[in-house]
Short mmCIF file of all heavy atoms in Angstrom, two decimals:
data_model
loop_
_atom_site.label_atom_id
_atom_site.label_comp_id
_atom_site.label_asym_id
_atom_site.label_seq_id
_atom_site.Cartn_x
_atom_site.Cartn_y
_atom_site.Cartn_z
N VAL A 358 68.86 79.16 116.81
CA VAL A 358 69.42 80.57 116.36
C VAL A 358 70.73 80.22 115.71
O VAL A 358 71.65 79.34 116.20
CB VAL A 358 69.69 81.39 117.63
CG1 VAL A 358 70.41 82.72 117.19
CG2 VAL A 358 68.39 81.76 118.41
N ASP A 359 70.97 80.84 114.54
CA ASP A 359 72.09 80.41 113.73
C ASP A 359 72.78 81.60 113.11
O ASP A 359 72.10 82.58 112.70
CB ASP A 359 71.51 79.52 112.61
CG ASP A 359 72.66 78.95 111.77
OD1 ASP A 359 73.43 77.91 112.10
OD2 ASP A 359 72.96 79.60 110.73
N SER A 360 74.19 81.64 113.18
CA SER A 360 74.95 82.67 112.46
C SER A 360 75.98 82.00 111.67
O SER A 360 76.66 80.97 112.17
CB SER A 360 75.57 83.54 113.48
OG SER A 360 74.50 84.29 114.22
N ARG A 361 76.30 82.51 110.45
CA ARG A 361 77.28 81.84 109.52
C ARG A 361 78.01 82.92 108.77
O ARG A 361 77.46 84.01 108.37
CB ARG A 361 76.44 80.89 108.48
CG ARG A 361 75.88 79.73 109.20
CD ARG A 361 75.06 78.91 108.27
NE ARG A 361 74.45 77.81 109.13
CZ ARG A 361 74.99 76.61 109.23
NH1 ARG A 361 76.08 76.35 108.66
NH2 ARG A 361 74.36 75.71 109.99
N ILE A 362 79.15 82.54 108.40
CA ILE A 362 80.08 83.32 107.58
C ILE A 362 80.53 82.30 106.43
O ILE A 362 81.11 81.31 106.77
CB ILE A 362 81.23 83.93 108.20
CG1 ILE A 362 80.92 84.91 109.30
CG2 ILE A 362 82.20 84.69 107.27
CD1 ILE A 362 81.99 85.59 110.13
N THR A 363 80.36 82.75 105.24
CA THR A 363 80.55 81.73 104.04
C THR A 363 81.30 82.40 102.97
O THR A 363 80.98 83.63 102.65
CB THR A 363 79.20 81.18 103.50
OG1 THR A 363 78.47 80.66 104.57
CG2 THR A 363 79.46 80.15 102.53
N ILE A 364 82.29 81.72 102.41
CA ILE A 364 83.01 82.20 101.20
C ILE A 364 82.83 81.11 100.13
O ILE A 364 83.17 79.90 100.46
CB ILE A 364 84.50 82.44 101.55
CG1 ILE A 364 84.65 83.64 102.54
CG2 ILE A 364 85.21 82.86 100.27
CD1 ILE A 364 86.07 83.93 102.84
N GLU A 365 82.40 81.46 99.01
CA GLU A 365 82.29 80.50 97.90
C GLU A 365 83.15 80.89 96.75
O GLU A 365 83.24 82.01 96.35
CB GLU A 365 80.80 80.56 97.34
CG GLU A 365 79.76 80.07 98.46
CD GLU A 365 78.36 80.41 98.06
OE1 GLU A 365 77.99 81.55 97.96
OE2 GLU A 365 77.61 79.39 97.71
N GLN A 366 83.85 79.80 96.18
CA GLN A 366 84.73 80.01 95.11
C GLN A 366 84.28 79.06 93.96
O GLN A 366 84.35 77.92 94.07
CB GLN A 366 86.21 79.53 95.49
CG GLN A 366 87.12 79.50 94.40
CD GLN A 366 87.45 80.86 93.81
OE1 GLN A 366 87.94 81.77 94.55
NE2 GLN A 366 87.25 80.98 92.64
N PRO A 367 83.78 79.69 92.89
CA PRO A 367 83.09 79.00 91.79
C PRO A 367 84.10 78.12 90.99
O PRO A 367 83.55 77.17 90.29
CB PRO A 367 82.36 79.89 91.02
CG PRO A 367 83.19 81.27 91.11
CD PRO A 367 83.77 81.14 92.51
N TYR A 368 85.32 78.40 90.87
CA TYR A 368 86.18 77.77 89.92
C TYR A 368 87.56 77.58 90.52
O TYR A 368 88.54 78.23 90.19
CB TYR A 368 86.26 78.64 88.64
CG TYR A 368 86.71 77.85 87.35
CD1 TYR A 368 85.91 76.80 86.89
CD2 TYR A 368 87.89 78.11 86.72
CE1 TYR A 368 86.25 76.09 85.79
CE2 TYR A 368 88.26 77.44 85.57
CZ TYR A 368 87.38 76.41 85.03
OH TYR A 368 87.80 75.81 84.00
N LEU A 369 87.55 76.54 91.32
CA LEU A 369 88.79 76.32 92.16
C LEU A 369 89.92 75.75 91.38
O LEU A 369 89.76 74.77 90.68
CB LEU A 369 88.49 75.38 93.48
CG LEU A 369 89.61 75.15 94.30
CD1 LEU A 369 89.91 76.50 95.12
CD2 LEU A 369 89.19 74.10 95.36
N LEU A 370 91.10 76.37 91.42
CA LEU A 370 92.30 75.96 90.83
C LEU A 370 92.10 75.66 89.20
O LEU A 370 92.63 74.80 88.63
CB LEU A 370 92.84 74.58 91.43
CG LEU A 370 93.15 74.63 92.95
CD1 LEU A 370 93.48 73.26 93.39
CD2 LEU A 370 94.23 75.68 93.21
N SER A 371 91.31 76.63 88.80
CA SER A 371 91.04 76.62 87.36
C SER A 371 90.33 75.28 86.82
O SER A 371 90.44 74.80 85.81
CB SER A 371 92.24 76.92 86.44
OG SER A 371 92.78 78.19 86.77
N LYS A 372 89.61 74.69 87.78
CA LYS A 372 88.95 73.46 87.54
C LYS A 372 87.44 73.56 87.86
O LYS A 372 87.13 74.45 88.67
CB LYS A 372 89.43 72.22 88.39
CG LYS A 372 90.94 71.99 88.20
CD LYS A 372 91.24 71.41 86.72
CE LYS A 372 92.74 71.12 86.53
NZ LYS A 372 92.96 70.56 85.20
N PRO A 373 86.54 72.77 87.17
CA PRO A 373 85.15 72.93 87.45
C PRO A 373 84.72 72.38 88.76
O PRO A 373 84.02 71.31 88.94
CB PRO A 373 84.47 72.18 86.29
CG PRO A 373 85.47 71.12 85.88
CD PRO A 373 86.80 71.76 86.16
N ILE A 374 85.30 73.05 89.87
CA ILE A 374 85.03 72.59 91.29
C ILE A 374 84.44 73.77 92.06
O ILE A 374 85.05 74.83 91.90
CB ILE A 374 86.27 72.12 91.95
CG1 ILE A 374 86.89 70.91 91.16
CG2 ILE A 374 85.99 71.64 93.38
CD1 ILE A 374 88.28 70.47 91.69
N PHE A 375 83.34 73.65 92.56
CA PHE A 375 82.77 74.79 93.38
C PHE A 375 83.05 74.56 94.84
O PHE A 375 82.62 73.57 95.47
CB PHE A 375 81.18 74.69 93.08
CG PHE A 375 80.55 76.01 93.67
CD1 PHE A 375 80.32 77.10 92.81
CD2 PHE A 375 80.03 76.12 94.94
CE1 PHE A 375 79.65 78.17 93.25
CE2 PHE A 375 79.47 77.24 95.36
CZ PHE A 375 79.21 78.31 94.55
N ALA A 376 83.82 75.42 95.37
CA ALA A 376 84.37 75.38 96.74
C ALA A 376 83.69 76.23 97.68
O ALA A 376 83.32 77.33 97.35
CB ALA A 376 85.78 75.59 96.83
N THR A 377 83.35 75.74 98.92
CA THR A 377 82.61 76.57 99.95
C THR A 377 83.26 76.31 101.27
O THR A 377 83.51 75.27 101.74
CB THR A 377 81.15 76.18 100.07
OG1 THR A 377 80.41 76.25 98.83
CG2 THR A 377 80.45 77.02 101.02
N TRP A 378 83.64 77.43 101.92
CA TRP A 378 84.18 77.37 103.35
C TRP A 378 83.22 78.21 104.19
O TRP A 378 82.70 79.27 103.87
CB TRP A 378 85.52 78.08 103.44
CG TRP A 378 86.16 78.18 104.76
CD1 TRP A 378 86.53 77.22 105.52
CD2 TRP A 378 86.11 79.33 105.51
NE1 TRP A 378 86.84 77.60 106.84
CE2 TRP A 378 86.62 78.92 106.94
CE3 TRP A 378 85.75 80.66 105.38
CZ2 TRP A 378 86.80 79.91 107.91
CZ3 TRP A 378 85.96 81.61 106.39
CH2 TRP A 378 86.53 81.19 107.67
N GLU A 379 82.81 77.44 105.31
CA GLU A 379 81.77 77.97 106.06
C GLU A 379 82.12 77.82 107.56
O GLU A 379 82.67 76.75 107.95
CB GLU A 379 80.49 77.22 105.79
CG GLU A 379 79.18 77.59 106.49
CD GLU A 379 77.97 76.89 106.12
OE1 GLU A 379 78.06 75.63 106.20
OE2 GLU A 379 76.86 77.44 105.72
#
Side-chain angles (χ1 to χ4, degrees):
V358 178
D359 182 87
S360 295
R361 293 173 185 268
I362 298 175
T363 305
I364 297 178
E365 297 171 291
Q366 173 66 57
Y368 201 61
L369 184 66
L370 302 176
S371 299
K372 300 294 182 182
I374 302 173
F375 193 91
T377 303
W378 175 72
E379 185 178 51

